[in-house]
């Protein structure tokens, strides 16, 4: 029984997923810590948590310089672009109910738009995403984290497989003890539960991912 409990615990911990946490004390210098963060968090979707535990997301990564965090935030707003201002339009996607486009303006600018609606006079009603450069002192930031979805699969695959196997053995054993039928049905139950555990582990691993966390003010 103790062995079974150990297997269950090990499997559940594997399914939950793993993470890595870094602080400045893990590196020889604070600058090395910053360099590791800059290389790791580049172009990632990062979650920034402040000292008051409020948080927000930066979709294009973040970097550190001079004890400050630099990141880009995105602001979406409805906007109307007059036909007289448009040089060309390149539509993206095939979903006509949620069409995106790159609008080339006569002044040389490009606008990446969403939910494009072409009005009768060829005027565009659309949602434009504006990117804003931001900077925040690290003393105000508790931690920054991001997930690697694919790296979460191996851990949960192992956990799901072990848990499915354990549950399959347990349930098929009960089935065998309580029926007079052949072991064929019990084997089917065992294989079904084992397979479900494996597939479930992969799906959960992809959803949860492997989390990397950089703590600045633990």
């Amino acid at each position: 029984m103790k062995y079974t409990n150990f297997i269950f615990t090990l499997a559940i911990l594997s399914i939950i997923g793993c993470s890595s946490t870094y602080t400045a004390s893990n590196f020889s210098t604070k600058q090395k810590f910053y360099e590791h963060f800059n290389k790791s968090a580049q172009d990632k979707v990062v979650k920034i948590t402040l000292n008051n535990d409020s948080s927000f997301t930066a979709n294009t990564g973040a970097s550190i310089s001079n004890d400050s965090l630099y990141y880009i935030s995105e602001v979406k707003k409805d906007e109307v672009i007059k036909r007289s201002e448009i040089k060309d339009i390149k539509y993206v996607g095939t979903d006509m109910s949620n069409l995106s486009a790159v609008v080339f303006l006569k002044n040389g600018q490009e606008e990446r738009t969403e939910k494009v609606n072409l009005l009768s006079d060829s005027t565009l009603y659309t949602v434009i995403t504006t990117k804003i450069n931001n900077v925040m002192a690290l003393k105000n930031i508790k931690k920054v984290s991001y997930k690697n979805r694919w790296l979460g699969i191996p851990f949960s695959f192992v956990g799901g497989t072990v848990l499915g196997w354990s549950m399959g053995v347990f349930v098929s054993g009960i089935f065998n003890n309580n029926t007079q039928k052949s072991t064929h049905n019990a084997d089917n139950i065992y294989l079904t539960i084992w397979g479900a555990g494996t597939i479930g582990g992969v799906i959960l691993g992809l959803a949860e991912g492997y989390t990397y966390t950089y703590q600045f003010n633990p």
Side-chain angles (χ1 to χ4, degrees):
M1 188 66 175
K2 290 182 178 180
Y3 176 76
T4 302
N5 290 337
F6 172 76
I7 292 294
F8 281 157
T9 302
L10 179 63
I12 291 172
L13 288 175
S14 298
I15 289 176
I16 290 174
C18 293
S19 62
S20 295
T21 301
Y22 302 100
T23 64
S25 62
N26 298 127
F27 299 83
S28 57
T29 65
K30 184 172 67 174
Q31 187 60 36
K32 292 291 185 182
F33 176 42
Y34 291 170
E35 290 175 359
H36 190 278
F37 173 86
N38 288 344
K39 183 178 180 180
S40 181
Q42 184 179 12
D43 298 326
K44 302 294 194 307
V45 178
V46 298
K47 179 182 178 182
I48 301 170
T49 303
L50 306 182
N51 291 331
N52 62 4
D53 288 326
S54 63
S55 63
F56 57 93
T57 300
N59 293 324
T60 57
S63 63
I64 298 172
S65 179
N66 298 323
D67 292 326
S68 295
L69 184 75
Y70 292 81
Y71 63 95
I72 297 175
S73 60
E74 295 182 344
V75 177
K76 297 180 182 293
K77 63 178 181 178
D78 295 337
E79 190 165 322
V80 175
I81 304 178
K82 296 180 180 179
R83 184 67 185 91
S84 60
E85 299 174 346
I86 300 173
K87 180 180 180 181
D88 194 13
I89 303 174
K90 181 181 179 181
Y91 291 100
V92 180
T94 57
D95 184 0
M96 299 304 295
S97 64
N98 187 23
L99 196 61
S100 299
V102 179
V103 182
F104 301 90
L105 302 178
K106 291 180 178 179
N107 62 7
Q109 293 182 340
E110 296 180 12
E111 297 285 4
R112 298 187 178 274
T113 64
E114 304 173 28
K115 299 180 180 179
V116 175
N117 185 13
L118 184 62
L119 304 180
S120 58
D121 62 351
S122 297
T123 297
L124 282 183
Y125 180 80
T126 185
V127 176
I128 292 181
T129 300
T130 302
K131 294 184 176 181
I132 302 174
N133 293 314
N134 299 276
V135 58
M136 181 179 295
L138 286 179
K139 65 180 181 180
N140 299 321
I141 299 173
K142 184 177 183 179
K143 62 183 179 181
V144 178
S145 61
Y146 71 89
K147 291 180 180 290
N148 184 322
R149 300 290 181 185
W150 295 107
L151 197 55
I153 292 179
F155 298 98
S156 289
F157 170 80
V158 173
T161 299
V162 173
L163 185 60
W165 172 81
S166 302
M167 289 294 295
V169 171
F170 179 73
V171 173
S172 62
I174 294 176
F175 183 84
N176 263 338
N177 292 334
N178 291 304
T179 65
Q180 301 300 319
K181 299 180 180 180
S182 68
T183 59
H184 179 70
N185 289 336
D187 290 341
N188 287 339
I189 293 174
Y190 160 67
L191 292 173
T192 299
I193 296 177
W194 189 4
T198 300
I199 295 172
V202 171
I203 294 174
L204 185 60
L206 185 61
E208 291 295 324
Y210 188 103
T211 302
Y212 292 88
T213 301
Y214 291 82
Q215 292 186 336
F216 299 101
N217 295 288

